Amino acid sequence: MTLNPADESLAARLPKGVLREVSPAYLEEPRGRYFGQAGLVAAPRDVEEAAAVVRACAEMRVPVVPRGGGTGLVGGQIMPEGPAPLVLSLERMTAIRGLYADEGVMLAEAGATLQQARDAAAGVGRQFPLSLAAQGTAQIGGVLSTNAGGVNVLRYGNARALCLGVEAVLPSGEIMHDLKRLRKDNTGYDLRDLLIGAEGTLGVITAASLALAPVPAETGVAMLVVESPEAALQLLSLAQARMAGGVTAFELIAGEGLDFLADHFPQVRQPLDPRPEWMVLVEVGLPAGLAADAALEGLFVAGAEAGLVSDGVIAQSGQQAAEFWSMREHIPEANRAVGAIASHDISLPLSEIAGFIRDAGAILASMGDMRINCFGHLGDGNLHYNLFPARGRHRDEYDDLRRELSGRIHEMVVTRGGSFSAEHGVGRLKTGDLARWGDPARLAAMRAIKQALDPAGIMNPGAILPMPT
Amino acid sequence: MTLNPADESLAARLPKGVLREVSPAYLEEPRGRYFGQAGLVAAPRDVEEAAAVVRACAEMRVPVVPRGGGTGLVGGQIMPEGPAPLVLSLERMTAIRGLYADEGVMLAEAGATLQQARDAAAGVGRQFPLSLAAQGTAQIGGVLSTNAGGVNVLRYGNARALCLGVEAVLPSGEIMHDLKRLRKDNTGYDLRDLLIGAEGTLGVITAASLALAPVPAETGVAMLVVESPEAALQLLSLAQARMAGGVTAFELIAGEGLDFLADHFPQVRQPLDPRPEWMVLVEVGLPAGLAADAALEGLFVAGAEAGLVSDGVIAQSGQQAAEFWSMREHIPEANRAVGAIASHDISLPLSEIAGFIRDAGAILASMGDMRINCFGHLGDGNLHYNLFPARGRHRDEYDDLRRELSGRIHEMVVTRGGSFSAEHGVGRLKTGDLARWGDPARLAAMRAIKQALDPAGIMNPGAILPMPT
């Protein structure tokens, strides 16, 4: 490859063989909002090389943009402005360094995909219980740096809850060795959790000690029709009490989403007829000795007696369970086919959800003619609240309205004690929201920490905190 | 009360009515290793008063020692040297500000005792599943500041895992409002987890949003005799797989501890005869439809078939279950009655435990004539590894050996990838261990963060990090 003189000077300081051809894949992100600047891409083979790359960039004051699978939705992996950065790709650090089935621990390098980590755990009879649509591409380092969520947070927590320790390169180029296989370790400040969710602005995670969970002896899935989001929440409460917290997923699905599916993926079977206005997909993981279909049947009966559930279907086989999940997982694809005006990854206190859905629907109706597909991880209070053009209209017709719509939605969410970013992070897309809605003392502390750990400001500048001007 | 002139100058800046009489209780800690300096005690009634206290101390450069229930075991609550500090007691901030049963969330002020929080949760049919011996006195603020553990970490995590958000006064005197009732909130750096476990050195937690769990429909307890710690770990693996992770406690108990009990608490019933060399106390929380005694019976049979369990008894009533727990909880009291030479709150990767117990026993035997009571939260890899004088000898006879014994044990632990402080924290007792065994890059980052958030060094100086000289 040919380099410009500025790049050459940096390239000369990098470890041999780490430079990669810049391809469009390094400069793009899934929603096409941000485009990266052409520059250097380095892919270290081990943590020492990663540290050498960061040290070279620190010396030359070249920004470093860490890159995992590139599946993030808020532009954290793309630096579109400012001095051209070096992209530090973890793609070559993909080893599973250790698998300790009896401990329930796995040591994985940052470039291993989430699917690879899940498969490795399954190979020793355990599970790595983080599951999300992009898992075939998303990498462990990115999953941790963004504290990713997904469908099993209700039972197993976010990525943060599944990480016991990290190895990371700090902005100084020093390596932090903290890959402990421990459930308890109270020896000073929680640097691990500070790096998790910092979106590459405080350092680069190069490997992680991950907590595995036992595979439940019995698992089952049901789709249950509920009258309203409020009924769904009461059903969740009932389910949690009956299952001793063994509800592994509790997903809300709106009739609008089922319509989108019918329009764009007619081949995806919809087991409930007539099409419900609201439904939930419930998954449980249970001990030996309690059949999952019996437990779900019991939940259905109790829910019906309480007036919460009007219809439902329990998967009778693993294949049927997979079909139910396939339906849920096609909803984001159907959304893309329809073409959203605006998407919102929000969370709310559970008891605020029903009121939010009601009020937001009314306010949006007064602002324009739209369709709303509100779905998501109800058990976590995490809704994907997405707006679509009315039938026969195109998203471009709403260009003037988009900003105002998102502003109003985030305002309604924050007013109710919710978050404008539940699981996707801040990246570059929501730095304005954070500046507007973030607690001032917390923001000041964040800036002080950034300044303390990265005084030269080289790590992923412009993500989370605005780029210094 | 009468004050000396230096105190008077500070007192004049404090909010009216916050000063307390200094009583010995503020200057002592449970193990009697550290004694506080006489000085001022302030007990704010709300977060604004707490902030005013910290601001006054920041202006006057007076150290602030936050104080909860004072049950910590590592001297974090006592500042024995340096300029006389102000003790900031949370004792008046005891309100449960909110209880959201259907959300599984409670807002508690820092001065509420752990028992009070547990009772409040139970009052609405939920549980706050952090449980430890000192819960009647320990306060929520202290429990969080030390990231306390206890007996149910295996299922529910440490204090950190049970906290959704905090309200805190930062060293600047600013109030950080982050009391969110959210399971998912990815909006920047994880200040919450940084304050949790910081032992009051980065600010004072004044209230917390706590996660409640459903009360399992079925619970049960058993005592099972195992041949060795290794067999106990294999039994744990078997139990986790059978119970879908529903094992809520898995406590290792050594024959030595049972001897101590028999000697000093003969009234505590020991259900197993003959006295086993090793046993585990297993507690499970299960869904509706699966009787706990049947599930434990199934575990016993499977464990026996695998050659892991040789005898056992399953509690047949709530009263009997309470008796089993009472036996476990009397072990630390029996230890105090015997009088330990040295105690160690250590954790190890699970697969290192058996080897550690074997090797450490051999090495200690070569160092002197001692008894070892090794017990604790095996499921978390957390052992309380305590050394006692041989029969007929007194702990004082081992004074010359104490330092060397602890040094050797911590070295063995760290060499095996373990921690010299699993759940008690660093405080002032283990600053030397942290300096010696801590990762250099992690320590440097800790110092940078301390300097950034508390440039004047007023918050609990000398805890975790050594006092600047």
Side-chain angles (χ1 to χ4, degrees):
Chain A
M1 68 193 116
T2 50
L3 300 170
N4 67 42
D7 283 348
E8 261 174 30
S9 167
L10 175 63
R13 292 167 187 249
L14 298 180
K16 282 202 200 320
V18 307
L19 282 186
R20 293 300 233 193
E21 282 295 338
V22 180
S23 71
Y26 294 111
L27 307 174
E28 295 170 353
E29 49 85 28
R31 290 193 174 162
R33 291 179 207 256
Y34 299 94
F35 300 95
Q37 311 171 62
L40 295 184
V41 176
R45 283 154 291 206
D46 56 36
V47 64
E48 284 77 20
E49 285 193 352
V53 169
V54 172
R55 277 198 305 273
C57 289
E59 280 169 23
M60 303 280 294
R61 294 285 192 275
V62 171
V64 179
V65 176
R67 189 173 181 95
T71 61
L73 296 172
V74 290
Q77 69 276 57
I78 296 288
M79 187 174 158
E81 25 175 47
L86 177 134
V87 174
L88 197 169
S89 172
L90 280 302
E91 66 195 62
R92 280 172 168 172
M93 291 185 65
T94 61
I96 303 297
R97 291 193 197 160
L99 250 174
Y100 305 85
D102 283 337
E103 293 182 9
V105 177
M106 170 167 52
L107 302 182
E109 292 191 341
T113 64
L114 177 50
Q115 188 63 54
Q116 188 188 338
R118 288 173 55 87
D119 290 346
V124 294
R126 296 293 182 275
Q127 60 168 331
F128 182 58
L130 188 77
S131 178
L132 40 84
Q135 65 198 23
T137 310
Q139 296 173 4
I140 292 299
V143 155
L144 289 172
S145 293
T146 59
N147 187 29
V151 295
N152 295 134
V153 172
L154 182 60
R155 171 66 178 87
Y156 298 105
N158 295 293
R160 177 172 284 133
L162 296 168
C163 180
L164 304 175
V166 295
E167 173 194 89
V169 178
L170 300 182
S172 59
E174 287 174 291
I175 301 169
M176 184 174 96
H177 296 279
D178 193 29
L179 270 189
K180 292 197 177 131
R181 285 143 48 201
L182 303 174
R183 254 73 183 183
K184 284 182 171 172
D185 177 30
N186 275 342
T187 55
Y189 303 161
D190 187 2
L191 273 288
R192 174 193 67 208
D193 285 322
L194 191 63
L195 288 168
I196 295 173
E199 305 185 30
T201 63
L202 299 178
V204 188
I205 294 172
T206 53
S209 173
L210 301 173
L212 309 181
V215 177
E218 297 274 340
T219 56
V221 183
M223 288 183 172
L224 303 176
V225 177
V226 293
E227 193 178 285
S228 62
E230 196 147 28
L233 285 161
Q234 289 172 38
L235 182 66
L236 170 64
S237 210
L238 182 68
Q240 290 284 48
R242 293 179 64 91
M243 307 293 177
V247 182
T248 48
F250 198 90
E251 299 282 303
L252 182 71
I253 298 174
E256 197 72 72
L258 299 175
D259 277 355
F260 288 4
L261 271 183
D263 287 354
H264 293 273
F265 293 93
Q267 72 277 24
V268 172
R269 207 171 76 83
Q270 297 202 19
L272 292 163
D273 183 37
R275 187 214 82 171
E277 202 56 45
W278 293 102
M279 56 164 285
V280 291
L281 186 155
V282 187
E283 186 187 74
V284 295
L286 299 171
L290 181 61
D293 54 356
L296 287 167
E297 181 82 28
L299 174 64
F300 174 80
V301 170
E305 278 171 6
L308 303 173
V309 178
S310 60
D311 194 6
V313 49
I314 298 170
Q316 297 301 311
S317 65
Q319 194 200 328
Q320 210 178 0
E323 267 181 39
F324 288 11
W325 271 115
S326 168
M327 194 188 102
R328 161 66 182 85
E329 283 158 6
H330 272 87
I331 292 175
E333 292 186 47
N335 286 345
R336 278 191 284 277
V338 177
I341 302 167
S343 305
H344 307 92
D345 165 42
I346 58 176
S347 65
L348 287 152
L350 292 187
S351 49
E352 296 288 341
I353 286 180
F356 168 81
I357 291 177
R358 190 186 53 233
D359 292 358
I363 287 171
L364 292 173
S366 75
M367 293 174 74
D369 189 14
M370 284 167 284
R371 289 176 292 173
I372 299 168
N373 187 12
C374 168
F375 67 105
H377 319 300
L378 190 69
D380 314 320
N382 179 195
L383 300 176
H384 297 301
Y385 194 85
N386 297 357
L387 310 181
F388 297 87
R391 267 185 197 279
R393 297 184 64 185
H394 191 271
R395 54 185 291 188
D396 294 350
E397 300 173 42
Y398 298 79
D399 277 351
D400 295 344
L401 207 50
R402 183 172 294 123
R403 243 184 122 80
E404 196 187 337
L405 288 169
S406 292
R408 287 297 291 275
I409 288 170
H410 285 170
E411 184 181 7
M412 281 187 271
V413 167
V414 172
T415 305
R416 288 178 181 272
S419 172
F420 59 84
S421 181
E423 58 177 9
H424 295 166
V426 175
R428 290 176 173 81
L429 183 64
K430 297 186 177 177
T431 49
D433 291 289
L434 180 58
R436 176 164 185 197
W437 301 112
D439 175 69
R442 184 166 168 265
L443 287 174
M446 283 170 54
R447 286 190 296 265
I449 289 169
K450 170 72 173 172
Q451 175 67 27
L453 297 185
D454 183 17
I458 62 162
M459 291 306 308
N460 210 4
I464 297 187
L465 297 168
M467 193 132 38
T469 46
Chain B
M1 66 192 119
T2 49
L3 301 170
N4 66 43
D7 284 349
E8 261 175 30
S9 168
L10 175 64
R13 291 168 187 249
L14 298 180
K16 280 200 201 324
V18 306
L19 282 187
R20 292 302 232 193
E21 282 294 340
V22 180
S23 70
Y26 294 111
L27 307 175
E28 295 170 353
E29 49 84 28
R31 290 192 176 162
R33 290 179 210 257
Y34 300 94
F35 300 96
Q37 310 170 63
L40 295 183
V41 176
R45 283 156 290 205
D46 56 37
V47 64
E48 283 79 18
E49 285 193 349
V53 169
V54 172
R55 277 198 305 274
C57 289
E59 282 169 23
M60 303 280 292
R61 294 285 192 274
V62 171
V64 178
V65 177
R67 190 173 180 95
T71 60
L73 296 172
V74 290
Q77 69 277 55
I78 297 286
M79 186 175 158
E81 28 177 43
L86 177 133
V87 173
L88 198 170
S89 172
L90 279 303
E91 66 194 62
R92 279 172 169 170
M93 292 185 63
T94 62
I96 303 297
R97 290 193 197 160
L99 250 173
Y100 305 86
D102 283 338
E103 292 182 9
V105 177
M106 169 166 55
L107 302 182
E109 292 191 342
T113 65
L114 176 50
Q115 188 63 54
Q116 188 189 340
R118 289 174 56 86
D119 290 346
V124 295
R126 295 292 182 277
Q127 61 168 331
F128 181 58
L130 187 77
S131 177
L132 41 84
Q135 64 198 25
T137 308
Q139 297 174 4
I140 291 299
V143 155
L144 290 172
S145 293
T146 59
N147 187 29
V151 294
N152 295 136
V153 171
L154 183 59
R155 171 66 179 86
Y156 298 106
N158 295 293
R160 177 171 285 132
L162 297 168
C163 181
L164 304 174
V166 296
E167 173 193 271
V169 178
L170 300 182
S172 60
E174 287 175 291
I175 301 169
M176 184 175 95
H177 297 280
D178 193 29
L179 269 189
K180 292 195 177 132
R181 286 144 46 201
L182 302 175
R183 253 76 182 180
K184 283 183 173 173
D185 177 31
N186 275 341
T187 53
Y189 302 161
D190 187 1
L191 273 287
R192 175 194 65 207
D193 285 322
L194 191 63
L195 288 168
I196 295 173
E199 305 187 31
T201 64
L202 298 178
V204 187
I205 294 172
T206 54
S209 174
L210 301 174
L212 308 181
V215 177
E218 297 276 338
T219 56
V221 182
M223 288 183 173
L224 304 175
V225 176
V226 292
E227 193 178 286
S228 63
E230 196 147 27
L233 285 161
Q234 288 172 37
L235 183 65
L236 170 64
S237 211
L238 182 68
Q240 289 284 46
R242 294 180 64 90
M243 308 293 177
V247 182
T248 48
F250 198 88
E251 298 283 302
L252 182 71
I253 298 175
E256 198 71 72
L258 299 176
D259 277 354
F260 288 3
L261 270 183
D263 287 352
H264 293 274
F265 293 93
Q267 73 276 24
V268 172
R269 206 169 78 81
Q270 296 202 21
L272 291 164
D273 183 37
R275 187 214 82 171
E277 203 55 45
W278 293 101
M279 55 163 287
V280 292
L281 187 155
V282 187
E283 186 188 73
V284 295
L286 300 171
L290 181 61
D293 53 357
L296 286 168
E297 181 82 29
L299 174 63
F300 174 80
V301 170
E305 278 171 5
L308 303 172
V309 177
S310 60
D311 194 6
V313 49
I314 297 170
Q316 297 301 312
S317 65
Q319 195 200 327
Q320 210 178 358
E323 268 180 37
F324 287 12
W325 271 114
S326 167
M327 196 189 100
R328 162 66 182 84
E329 283 158 6
H330 272 88
I331 291 175
E333 292 185 47
N335 286 346
R336 277 190 285 277
V338 177
I341 302 167
S343 305
H344 308 93
D345 164 45
I346 57 177
S347 65
L348 287 152
L350 292 187
S351 49
E352 296 288 341
I353 285 180
F356 167 80
I357 291 178
R358 189 186 54 235
D359 292 357
I363 286 171
L364 292 173
S366 75
M367 293 175 73
D369 190 15
M370 284 168 283
R371 289 176 292 173
I372 300 168
N373 187 12
C374 168
F375 67 104
H377 319 300
L378 189 69
D380 314 319
N382 178 193
L383 300 177
H384 296 302
Y385 192 84
N386 297 357
L387 310 182
F388 298 87
R391 267 186 199 278
R393 296 184 63 186
H394 191 270
R395 54 185 291 188
D396 293 350
E397 300 173 42
Y398 297 80
D399 277 352
D400 294 344
L401 206 52
R402 183 171 294 123
R403 242 184 123 80
E404 197 187 337
L405 288 169
S406 292
R408 288 299 290 276
I409 288 169
H410 286 169
E411 185 182 6
M412 281 186 272
V413 166
V414 171
T415 306
R416 287 179 181 271
S419 172
F420 58 84
S421 182
E423 57 177 9
H424 295 166
V426 175
R428 290 176 174 81
L429 183 64
K430 296 186 177 176
T431 50
D433 292 288
L434 180 57
R436 176 163 185 198
W437 301 113
D439 175 70
R442 185 166 168 263
L443 287 173
M446 284 172 53
R447 287 190 296 266
I449 289 169
K450 170 72 174 174
Q451 175 67 25
L453 297 185
D454 182 17
I458 62 162
M459 291 305 307
N460 210 5
I464 298 186
L465 297 169
M467 195 137 31
T469 46

